[in-house]
């Protein structure tokens, strides 16, 4: 369920809030192959299912950066900021990939809005998130993301 705010003042009031949990999405071989084509990263552990069966993970796994890139569509399920002119990714403070995402796994995001600070013309938010793997004891990714919203 998405939290909707209208404008920077309402966004500021959410500082320190739990943003909840997104819906699950499946990480398919097709998604992995498309990411490999887009980035030029065709390492066999991602795109060669037969060879990957004999590899360290028992099958193909998603690229770490593919998992990270899914933060945005998962995050937009949690927070909808309206009444602003521009929304941009500003960067990452921390990212770790504690557990691989195997083909066919489902992932979701749990997040909280750790900080909202003013920047010229807008605000910068710091979101602390974990991309969880259904049924796994460790998350696929743990991250601290920075985004900016301008009036």
């Amino acid at each position: 369920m998405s939290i909707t705010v209208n404008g920077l003042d309402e966004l500021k009031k959410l500082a320190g809030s739990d943003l909840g949990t997104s819906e699950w999405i499946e990480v398919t071989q097709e998604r992995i192959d498309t990411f490999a084509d887009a980035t030029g990263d065709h390492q066999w552990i991602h795109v060669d299912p037969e060879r990957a069966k004999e590899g360290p993970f028992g099958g193909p796994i998603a690229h770490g950066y593919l998992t990270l890139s899914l933060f945005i569509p998962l995050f937009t399920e949690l927070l909808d900021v309206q009444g602003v002119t521009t929304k941009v990714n500003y960067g990452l403070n921390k990212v770790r990939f504690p557990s691989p995402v195997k083909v066919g796994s489902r992932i979701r995001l749990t997040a909280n809005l750790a900080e909202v600070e003013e920047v010229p013309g807008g605000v910068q938010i710091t979101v602390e998130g974990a991309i969880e793997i259904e049924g796994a004891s460790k998350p696929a990714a743990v991250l601290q993301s920075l985004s900016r919203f301008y009036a």
Side-chain angles (χ1 to χ4, degrees), residues 27 32 35 39 41 43 45-46 61-71 92 95-101 107 131 140-143:
V27 179
I32 291 168
F35 186 84
T39 62
D41 181 353
Q43 186 180 29
I45 62 172
H46 307 302
I61 61 168
H63 305 72
Y65 287 124
L66 167 57
T67 302
L68 181 60
S69 74
L70 294 172
F71 170 79
L92 300 160
V95 178
R96 296 291 182 270
F97 302 108
S99 187
V101 177
I107 62 171
I131 298 176
V142 179
L143 61 117

Side-chain angles (χ1 to χ4, degrees), residues 38-65:
T39 62
D41 181 353
H42 292 92
Q43 186 180 29
W44 63 269
I45 62 172
H46 307 302
V47 299
D48 187 341
E50 289 306 310
R51 185 174 176 196
K53 284 180 188 175
E54 305 303 320
F57 306 108
I61 61 168
H63 305 72
Y65 287 124

Side-chain angles (χ1 to χ4, degrees), residues 11 14-19 71 75 79 88 90-94 111-119 123-129 143-149:
L11 182 57
L14 281 182
S17 296
D18 178 4
L19 298 175
F71 170 79
F75 178 70
L79 181 63
V88 296
Y90 189 69
L92 300 160
N93 285 337
K94 299 176 185 178
N112 69 71
L113 184 54
E115 187 176 1
V116 180
E117 61 184 294
E118 292 193 30
V119 296
V123 298
Q124 177 174 294
I125 67 171
T126 303
V127 174
E128 294 176 347
L143 61 117
Q144 193 175 67
S145 173
L146 305 175
S147 299
R148 288 191 173 183
F149 297 84

Side-chain angles (χ1 to χ4, degrees), residues 5-12 80-88 121-123 125 148-151:
V5 296
N6 189 5
L8 300 179
D9 288 336
E10 286 186 22
L11 182 57
K12 290 175 192 176
D80 179 18
V81 181
Q82 299 181 356
V84 296
T85 62
T86 309
K87 306 171 186 181
V88 296
V123 298
I125 67 171
R148 288 191 173 183
F149 297 84
Y150 295 96

